[in-house]
């Protein structure tokens, strides 16, 4: 590649070195940094460059560069944005994914940076347009489209703009109306409520009435009447006129073109990864979207030429100028691009290079702080002692072994013994932090179990799940891929050779094989490699000396004699577990302990004599990958997935089925609104996804697979979200749930009541709304008009209560309602139970050590420098909670270390917090 200094742009200096968003606007054909206060504001007459930097689990930075082209931006400005995007990528090492974002056709990923939406404004810098006068309020009408990434467009304030198929928002000075077309999508209605909240906070200082108007209903009611008066009175609205916005570009079978000296050549061959040469650029034409693939060793000028060639291709093929173009660099291809090929074999080097890059960044940060980093290397990296979310203890554990068409319950003393030739059902009943009874139901498939048992264990587990009305999380677990939550249920968990089921016994006999089933009076060698409750996997291995390893502990059972063999490189925790496993297998039997190198002849003779064995630690390359949330569709029997970027709990819509892939497990989440028949297909969907992800993302085909129903999400699912448990008590469709959350249960981000009265009124209004929703969903005799009136009255009550609460706020915007706004009084009702959020999911957990204790041990000091707080410090602080080191940083230094404020840090999901603490050596 060309030297980056040749294209050095002063505005790009020092960027891309911390997670977050950075934006430039093209002014006089130069990129000018946009003030952070203007992030999210886009003018139709301008072009912008947006850099998004994210940090993956290995510590490496992933880069996305988007150039946004306003509909009124000049061709020269748009061209400048495209060229400067390439230059920025070059300065950042040439590994960013580049995206062309035409106004109105932005990618979901781009829109996810500016939730809930962007609303482009008329005007611009270079075009000479006059910017809208923000001081004078102007009534505006918007159309909202999209179930997750919502696209908002201003349309003329006229009745002719309305139709029966879409959702509209009318923003007036004192009230915001949402008009739901009779045929509009429920989920678009829900998303439009988020836009209303955005408008309310941005243009009304958080104080404004909100009204819902349903197309063709309740026209005599006050809100509906007010709405139509603004349009000159009620009158029928016309059918939707087809516009360019409604044209959905068709996705076609991908075609690959090689690009040489600006010329495109169609490659008429089967699409495989091996076609792509690292010295060339390629165009992948998918109809609705174009991809430019760039080889790692191509020159900057080659990339610019390829970019220009693709622009000419769009014109030549008469493609819309709004066609999206994504440029990917070799080694950093996104999921969408890879899925267009027959398969995409995983590279073994990508994960390692990313991890190494992360390690280098931490070392550089330590050096910058003056910390001696001598000796810090791969081998000296600390053991990962992070404990994943585990199920609450003290529950009831039941295990059944499959035997033919029946299941046999295991006695208490056998819980934890698994035979590799058998299949098991495990049910754990427990109470979570909010005292709710929860169920963890899984079936375990042994590596050598017979197909009949594997099919039967699924049938029985599914029958049990149905009998419990779908309340448990249901998991499929293969031997060797047991997740931490499963392992932690057994203290210890031991996997033994052979099987006790009739199916396994019959199979061995028919094949004429030797039955190696573990026997309490026989010879057995068992490896202990776990170090804690969630990874204490213990496995019976061949009873020969070559099975030994210096990095592990082993138990040798020789009839009635028990040995524990301690490898010289084993950990103290492994040694403790070895003793526990020996007692579990043969309670009360005296155990002989021998360290590696002190073995007796009796020990060696029991395993066929001494032979060479390994003394090296077998390192396994673990692929580092962020969790991903997907929607999906089935086309001609083939699963097609669409990623939901920067996902949150809001993206789990009650009418949908979603797939959450964390790489170590796959969840199929199903909303309460999904039909019962569809819920039975969860594992069929999950298996199709796993097959897809094995080919394109390199996950294991034996990855744990879970079915989760809305309202019964376990802690190890919730940890990937900033979870609000109170939402699970709200019933209704997506729109009704969102209405309750935003305008009935909102506790932050908006006006608050100054007294208890507001909370009581709000709870009463919420109860009325919930009642109206439940009544309308259950009653078959009440008229639609009556149901709607009841619901509308409840919504109005909520709106008025919130307005009343807002009137106590110190903020008085130009859209403030009058002091004598009408209030609807409802009968008092008990507020919903307050649920304490799980501290392991999100939010800030205060240190276990009090400030007084810390101050007493440090001369009254409770704030310390980064150099003293890191785990490798040469002058460590005492008397602090070492799991919460970051809480002792000063605010300014916290910002330097993490690139964000403490408030922003603790708003992230817990797993992201832990990841960033690790990278900063504060764990």
């Amino acid at each position: 590649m060309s030297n980056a200094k040749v294209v050095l742009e002063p505005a790009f200096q020092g960027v891309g070195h911390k997670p977050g968003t950075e934006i430039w606007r093209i002014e006089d054909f130069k990129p000018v940094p946009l003030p952070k206060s203007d992030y999210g504001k886009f003018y139709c007459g301008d072009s912008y460059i947006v850099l998004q930097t994210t940090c993956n689990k290995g510590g490496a930075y992933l880069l996305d560069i988007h150039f946004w082209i306003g509909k009124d931006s000049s061709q020269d400005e748009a061209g400048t944005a495209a060229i400067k995007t390439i230059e920025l990528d070059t300065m950042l090492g040439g590994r960013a994914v580049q995206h062309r974002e035409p106004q109105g056709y932005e990618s979901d990923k781009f829109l996810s940076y500016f939730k809930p939406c962007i609303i482009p404004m008329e005007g611009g810098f270079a075009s000479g347009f006059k910017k809208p006068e923000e001081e004078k309020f102007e009534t505006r009408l918007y159309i909202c489209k999209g179930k997750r990434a919502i696209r908002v467009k201003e349309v003329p304030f006229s009745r002719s703009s309305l139709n029966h198929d879409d959702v509209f928002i009318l923003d007036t000075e004192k009230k915001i109306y949402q008009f739901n077309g009779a045929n509009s999508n429920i989920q678009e209605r829900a998303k439009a409520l988020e836009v209303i909240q955005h408008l309310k906070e941005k243009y009304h200082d958080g104080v404004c009435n909100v009204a819902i108007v349903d197309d063709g209903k309740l026209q005599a009611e006050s809100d509906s009447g007010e709405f139509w008066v603004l349009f000159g009175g009620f009158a029928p609205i016309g059918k939707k006129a087809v516009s360019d916005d409604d044209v959905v570009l068709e996705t076609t079978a991908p075609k690959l073109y090689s690009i040489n000296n600006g010329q495109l050549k169609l490659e008429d061959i089967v699409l495989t990864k091996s076609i792509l040469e690292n010295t060339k650029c390629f165009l992948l034409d998918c109809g609705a979207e174009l991809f430019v693939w760039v080889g790692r060793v191509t020159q900057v000028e080659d990339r610019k030429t390829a970019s220009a060639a693709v622009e000419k291709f769009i014109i030549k093929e008469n493609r819309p100028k709004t066609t999206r173009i994504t440029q990917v660099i070799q080694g950093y291809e996104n999921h969408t691009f890879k899925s267009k090929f027959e398969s995409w074999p995983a590279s073994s080097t990508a994960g390692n290079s990313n991890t190494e890059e992360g390690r280098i960044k931490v070392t550089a940060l330590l050096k910058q702080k003056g910390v001696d980093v001598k000796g810090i290397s791969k081998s000296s990296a600390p053991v990962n002692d992070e404990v994943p979310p585990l199920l609450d203890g003290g529950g009831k554990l039941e295990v059944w072994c499959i035997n033919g068409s029946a299941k046999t319950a295991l006695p208490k003393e056998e819980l934890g013994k698994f035979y590799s030739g058998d299949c098991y059902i495990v049910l754990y009943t427990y109470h979570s932090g909010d005292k709710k009874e929860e169920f963890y139901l899984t079936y375990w498939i042994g590596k050598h179990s017979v197909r009949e048992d594997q099919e039967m264990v699924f049938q029985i587990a599914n029958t049990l799940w149905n009998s419990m009305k779908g309340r448990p999380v249901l998991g499929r677990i293969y031997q060797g891929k047991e997740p931490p939550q499963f392992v932690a249920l057994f203290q210890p968990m031991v996997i033994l050779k052979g099987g006790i089921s009739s199916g396994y016994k019959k199979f061995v006999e028919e094949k004429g094989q030797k039955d190696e089933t573990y026997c309490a009076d026989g010879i057995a060698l068992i490896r202990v490699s776990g170090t804690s409750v969630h990874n204490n996997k213990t496995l019976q291995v061949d009873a020969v000396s070559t099975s030994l390893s210096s990095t592990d502990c082993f138990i040798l059972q020789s009839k009635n004699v028990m040995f524990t063999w301690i490898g010289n490189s084993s950990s103290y925790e492994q040694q403790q577990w070895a003793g526990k496993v020996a007692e579990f297998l043969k309670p009360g039997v005296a155990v002989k302990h021998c360290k590696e190198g002190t073995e007796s002849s009796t020990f060696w003779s029991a395993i066929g004599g001494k032979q060479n064995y390994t003394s090296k630690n077998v390192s396994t390359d673990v692929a580092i990958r962020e969790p991903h949330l997907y929607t999906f569709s089935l086309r001609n029997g083939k699963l097609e997935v669409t990623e939901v970027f920067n996902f949150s709990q809001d993206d789990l819509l009650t009418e949908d089925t979603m797939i959450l892939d964390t790489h170590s497990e796959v969840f199929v989440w199903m909303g309460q609104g999904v039909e019962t028949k569809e819920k039975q297909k969860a594992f069929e969907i999950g298996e199709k996804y796993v097959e897809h992800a094995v080919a394109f993302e390199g996950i294991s085909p034996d990855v744990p697979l879970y079915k989760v129903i809305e309202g019964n999400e376990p802690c190890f699912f919730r940890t990937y979200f900033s979870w609000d448990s109170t939402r699970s008590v709200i019933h209704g469709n997506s729109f009704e749930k969102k209405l309750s959350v935003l305008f009935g249960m909102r506790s932050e981000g908006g006006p608050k009541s100054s007294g208890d009265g507001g909370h009581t009124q709000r709870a009463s209004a919420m109860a009325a709304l919930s009642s109206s929703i439940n009544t309308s969903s259950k009653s078959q005799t009440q008229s639609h008009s009556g149901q709607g009136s009841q619901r509308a009255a409840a919504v109005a009550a909520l709106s008025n209560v919130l307005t009343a609460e807002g009137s106590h706020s110190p903020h008085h915007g130009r859209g403030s309602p009058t002091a004598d706004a009408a209030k609807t009084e409802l009968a008092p009702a008990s507020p919903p139970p307050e649920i304490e959020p799980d501290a392991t999911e999100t939010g800030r957990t205060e240190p276990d050590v009090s400030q007084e204790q810390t101050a007493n041990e440090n001369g009254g000091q409770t704030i310390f420098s980064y150099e003293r707080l890191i785990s490798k410090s040469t002058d460590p602080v005492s008397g602090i909670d070492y799991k919460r080191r970051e809480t002792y940083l000063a605010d300014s230094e916290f910002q330097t270390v993490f690139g964000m404020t403490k408030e922003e840090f603790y708003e992230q999901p817990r797993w992201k917090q832990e990841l960033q603490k690790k990278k900063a050596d504060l764990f």
Side-chain angles (χ1 to χ4, degrees):
M1 280 182 58
S2 300
N3 194 326
K5 291 182 179 178
V6 175
V7 292
L8 186 63
E9 171 61 57
F12 294 151
Q13 290 189 35
V15 304
H17 296 310
K18 63 180 181 180
T21 307
E22 295 169 271
I23 305 178
W24 298 263
R25 179 165 58 189
I26 302 301
E27 299 179 5
D28 295 329
F29 307 107
K30 292 182 180 179
V32 176
L34 206 63
K36 286 194 179 292
S37 58
D38 286 341
Y39 280 19
K41 291 182 182 179
F42 293 88
Y43 287 91
C44 302
D46 289 331
S47 293
Y48 297 79
I49 296 174
V50 177
L51 169 63
Q52 184 71 17
T53 306
T54 54
C55 199
N56 72 6
K57 287 188 175 181
Y61 285 152
L62 304 179
L63 305 165
D64 286 273
I65 308 175
H66 307 255
F67 59 101
W68 186 89
I69 304 170
K71 65 181 179 65
D72 299 318
S73 178
S74 70
Q75 190 170 348
D76 288 340
E77 280 182 332
T80 300
I83 295 298
K84 291 299 179 183
T85 292
I86 295 174
E87 293 179 5
L88 174 57
D89 179 30
T90 304
M91 290 181 61
L92 294 170
R95 54 192 175 85
V97 178
Q98 298 175 31
H99 312 260
R100 179 181 188 262
E101 307 283 358
Q103 179 183 337
Y105 298 86
E106 297 87 354
S107 64
D108 289 357
K109 189 167 196 175
F110 177 83
L111 293 175
S112 74
Y113 307 148
F114 307 101
K115 288 187 176 182
C117 64
I118 63 171
I119 306 177
M121 297 177 288
E122 294 297 325
F125 176 83
S127 60
F129 292 170
K130 183 181 178 181
K131 293 185 180 180
E133 295 183 18
E134 298 182 5
E135 294 305 314
K136 184 179 179 181
F137 192 93
E138 183 179 342
T139 297
R140 297 177 187 273
L141 182 65
Y142 303 98
I143 185 171
C144 301
K145 295 184 178 183
K147 297 198 307 184
R148 288 181 177 82
I150 191 161
R151 290 164 176 81
V152 181
K153 177 184 177 183
E154 185 178 352
V155 294
F157 176 27
S158 167
R159 182 190 287 107
S160 61
S161 295
L162 302 175
N163 63 64
H164 301 293
D165 300 318
D166 292 314
V167 180
F168 295 84
I169 293 173
L170 180 63
D171 185 12
T172 71
E173 189 169 2
K174 294 186 178 181
K175 186 178 282 190
I176 304 176
Y177 299 84
Q178 176 169 322
F179 176 81
N180 297 325
N183 304 323
S184 61
N185 184 283
I186 286 292
Q187 296 172 340
E188 287 189 342
R189 296 182 188 184
K191 275 296 175 182
L193 288 171
E194 293 182 23
V195 178
I196 288 179
Q197 183 69 8
H198 171 70
L199 294 172
K200 180 178 175 181
E201 293 175 354
K202 186 172 183 180
Y203 298 114
H204 300 270
D205 295 331
V207 183
C208 182
N209 278 334
V210 174
I212 308 299
V213 178
D214 289 323
D215 179 15
K217 297 180 184 178
L218 311 172
Q219 64 190 56
E221 293 190 359
S222 60
D223 288 335
S224 180
E226 289 175 3
F227 175 81
W228 288 113
V229 164
L230 294 168
F231 287 92
F234 177 78
I237 56 177
K239 290 186 177 180
K240 181 177 181 178
V242 179
S243 66
D244 292 342
D245 294 341
D246 299 309
V247 177
V248 178
L249 296 178
E250 184 181 352
T251 299
T252 59
K255 295 179 182 178
L256 187 70
Y257 297 83
S258 58
I259 306 175
N260 293 299
N261 297 321
Q263 301 299 313
L264 274 63
K265 177 188 175 185
L266 178 64
E267 302 289 344
D268 191 14
I269 50 178
V270 176
L271 296 185
T272 61
K273 182 180 178 181
S274 59
I275 300 171
L276 305 173
E277 301 175 34
N278 63 3
T279 58
K280 291 184 178 180
C281 296
F282 292 83
L283 167 65
L284 186 67
D285 178 11
C286 304
E289 187 170 12
L290 303 179
F291 293 89
V292 179
W293 184 90
V294 176
R296 191 181 293 113
V297 296
T298 53
Q299 301 297 311
V300 177
E301 291 307 317
D302 292 334
R303 300 181 184 188
K304 289 182 178 180
T305 302
S307 180
V310 173
E311 292 287 349
K312 291 179 182 177
F313 175 83
I314 289 176
I315 296 171
K316 180 182 176 183
E317 295 291 318
N318 200 28
R319 300 287 174 86
K321 65 178 182 179
T322 52
T323 302
R324 283 206 305 269
I325 303 173
T326 302
Q327 179 176 303
V328 294
I329 189 73
Q330 181 182 5
Y332 295 88
E333 298 88 353
N334 59 23
H335 179 89
T336 308
F337 178 84
K338 290 188 287 188
S339 66
K340 303 298 182 183
F341 289 71
E342 289 292 311
S343 66
W344 194 272
S347 169
S348 61
T349 59
N352 293 338
S353 63
N354 285 345
T355 305
E356 183 62 24
E357 181 184 340
R359 188 179 294 111
I360 291 169
K361 287 182 183 294
V362 172
T363 304
L365 181 59
L366 295 175
K367 280 183 176 179
Q368 181 184 341
K369 295 290 181 179
V371 178
D372 183 9
V373 294
K374 198 175 290 184
I376 296 177
S377 65
K378 291 182 186 180
S379 60
S380 63
V383 175
N384 179 9
D385 59 354
E386 180 185 355
V387 179
L390 304 178
L391 305 178
D392 290 353
K396 179 184 178 183
L397 179 62
E398 300 170 90
V399 181
W400 297 270
C401 180
I402 299 302
N403 194 3
S405 60
K407 65 183 195 295
T408 304
L410 298 189
K412 186 175 181 180
E413 62 273 13
E414 293 292 308
L415 298 181
K417 289 182 183 177
F418 292 81
Y419 290 87
S420 64
D422 292 335
C423 295
Y424 297 82
I425 293 174
V426 176
L427 174 61
Y428 182 61
T429 305
Y430 63 103
H431 287 84
S432 59
D434 56 9
K435 309 304 180 187
K436 174 187 173 185
E437 188 175 52
E438 296 191 29
F439 306 92
Y440 178 73
L441 175 62
T442 58
Y443 61 98
W444 183 90
I445 299 174
K447 191 171 288 184
H448 302 113
S449 60
V450 297
R451 179 172 293 278
E452 291 78 9
D453 284 353
Q454 294 177 15
E455 293 173 351
M456 184 56 61
V457 73
F458 169 70
Q459 290 180 24
I460 296 176
N462 199 50
T463 300
L464 183 56
W465 183 83
N466 286 327
S467 71
M468 300 176 74
K469 302 190 184 326
R471 290 179 63 194
V473 54
L474 177 59
R476 182 197 69 186
I477 297 170
Y478 283 105
Q479 178 184 335
K481 292 295 181 180
E482 296 84 2
Q485 298 76 25
F486 183 88
V487 175
L489 295 176
F490 306 96
Q491 302 299 314
M493 175 182 176
V494 183
I495 300 176
L496 302 169
K497 284 178 173 283
I500 58 177
S501 70
S502 57
Y504 175 78
K505 297 293 186 186
K506 181 181 178 182
F507 175 80
V508 171
E509 183 180 349
E510 289 177 349
K511 294 294 183 180
Q513 298 175 357
K514 180 182 178 181
D515 189 347
E516 296 183 321
T517 301
Y518 168 82
C519 175
D521 297 325
I523 295 176
L525 184 64
I526 297 161
R527 184 180 71 218
V528 179
S529 55
T531 58
S532 58
V533 294
H534 63 278
N535 65 11
N536 65 88
K537 296 180 185 178
T538 303
L539 178 69
Q540 183 179 354
V541 295
D542 293 337
V544 292
S545 56
T546 52
S547 296
L548 298 173
S549 169
S550 300
T551 59
D552 292 325
C553 293
F554 289 80
I555 297 162
L556 175 61
Q557 172 189 295
S558 179
K559 297 183 179 179
N560 291 324
V561 181
M562 295 286 281
F563 296 90
T564 57
W565 185 86
I566 311 300
N568 287 335
S569 300
S570 64
S571 67
Y572 172 76
E573 290 82 6
Q574 287 173 303
Q575 297 165 27
Q576 294 292 104
W577 276 110
K580 192 168 186 176
V581 172
E583 175 65 21
F584 173 63
L585 292 174
K586 295 184 79 70
V589 173
V591 179
K592 298 181 179 181
H593 303 282
C594 64
K595 296 186 84 173
E596 181 180 0
T598 66
E599 303 86 352
S600 64
S601 58
T602 306
F603 177 91
W604 289 120
S605 62
I607 53 176
K610 184 177 181 179
Q611 298 181 53
N612 291 333
Y613 54 85
T614 183
S615 60
K616 295 180 179 179
N617 193 5
V618 180
S619 61
T620 55
D621 289 331
V622 179
I624 297 168
R625 188 162 166 264
E626 302 299 300
H628 295 269
L629 184 69
Y630 298 103
T631 61
F632 69 91
S633 61
L634 290 169
R635 183 175 295 183
N636 299 324
K638 182 181 178 182
L639 187 78
E640 295 184 359
V641 298
T642 302
E643 184 164 2
V644 179
F645 298 100
N646 294 316
F647 62 84
S648 69
Q649 188 179 355
D650 282 336
D651 293 307
L652 301 175
L653 302 178
T654 193
E655 298 84 10
D656 280 355
T657 298
M658 310 288 292
I659 295 170
L660 176 65
D661 177 4
T662 72
H663 204 77
S664 56
E665 67 249 312
V666 171
F667 298 90
V668 179
W669 180 92
M670 294 185 144
Q672 291 288 358
V674 174
E675 293 184 5
T676 303
K677 287 183 180 179
E678 291 301 312
K679 289 178 181 176
Q680 298 297 331
K681 298 178 181 178
F683 277 94
E684 182 182 332
I685 294 166
E687 286 167 356
K688 283 184 178 292
Y689 173 76
V690 170
E691 183 182 331
H692 170 92
V694 166
F696 297 104
E697 298 298 339
I699 72 169
S700 167
D702 295 338
V703 65
L705 178 62
Y706 287 104
K707 171 165 66 172
V708 179
I709 302 299
E710 181 184 13
N712 298 305
E713 297 88 352
C715 61
F716 55 95
F717 176 88
R718 299 192 302 259
T719 190
Y720 294 102
F721 300 81
S722 293
W723 197 263
D724 179 2
S725 297
T726 59
R727 296 191 182 191
S728 62
V729 304
I730 304 172
H731 301 286
N733 59 37
S734 295
F735 173 65
E736 293 160 340
K737 284 173 176 281
K738 184 69 69 176
L739 192 63
S740 296
V741 169
L742 288 183
F743 304 112
M745 297 176 68
R746 195 162 52 85
S747 59
E748 58 185 13
K752 293 183 173 64
S753 172
S754 58
D756 293 335
H759 293 294
T760 304
Q761 288 183 345
R762 184 169 59 206
S764 300
M766 274 180 55
L769 177 63
S770 179
S771 174
S772 71
I773 290 168
N774 292 333
T775 301
S776 64
S777 62
K778 294 177 183 177
S779 174
Q780 300 297 321
T781 58
Q782 185 179 4
S783 70
H784 291 296
S785 177
Q787 293 172 9
S789 299
Q790 185 182 356
R791 182 168 66 250
V795 172
L798 283 173
S799 178
N800 288 330
V801 168
L802 289 169
T803 301
E805 290 178 359
S807 66
H808 297 288
S809 170
H811 302 288
H812 298 287
R814 55 188 174 276
S816 300
T818 57
D820 58 348
K823 298 178 178 60
T824 303
E825 295 294 336
L826 297 173
S830 300
E834 293 187 6
I835 300 174
E836 289 291 331
D838 190 337
T840 65
E841 292 162 17
T842 185
R844 179 173 184 165
T845 305
E846 293 300 330
D848 295 330
V849 180
S850 69
Q851 285 197 348
E852 288 77 12
Q853 289 175 275
T854 304
N856 288 339
E857 293 197 32
N858 294 278
Q861 189 177 357
T862 57
I863 299 295
F864 305 95
S865 67
Y866 175 73
E867 294 89 336
R868 296 193 64 196
L869 288 170
I870 58 174
S871 60
K872 301 183 183 69
S873 176
T874 55
D875 181 24
V877 182
S878 60
I880 63 171
D881 183 349
Y882 295 104
K883 293 181 181 179
R884 302 286 180 267
R885 297 173 187 265
E886 80 285 356
T887 61
Y888 301 96
L889 286 169
D891 289 348
S892 58
E893 191 159 26
F894 190 100
Q895 177 98 33
T896 301
V897 173
F898 291 103
M900 64 184 76
T901 65
K902 287 185 178 180
E903 289 72 19
E904 292 169 336
F905 179 83
Y906 290 114
E907 283 175 359
Q908 301 179 113
R910 183 64 178 272
W911 68 270
K912 280 193 175 181
Q913 297 177 27
E914 296 299 323
L915 172 63
Q916 289 162 358
K917 285 160 60 175
K918 275 188 175 184
K919 283 180 288 196
D921 196 31
L922 289 167
F923 66 100

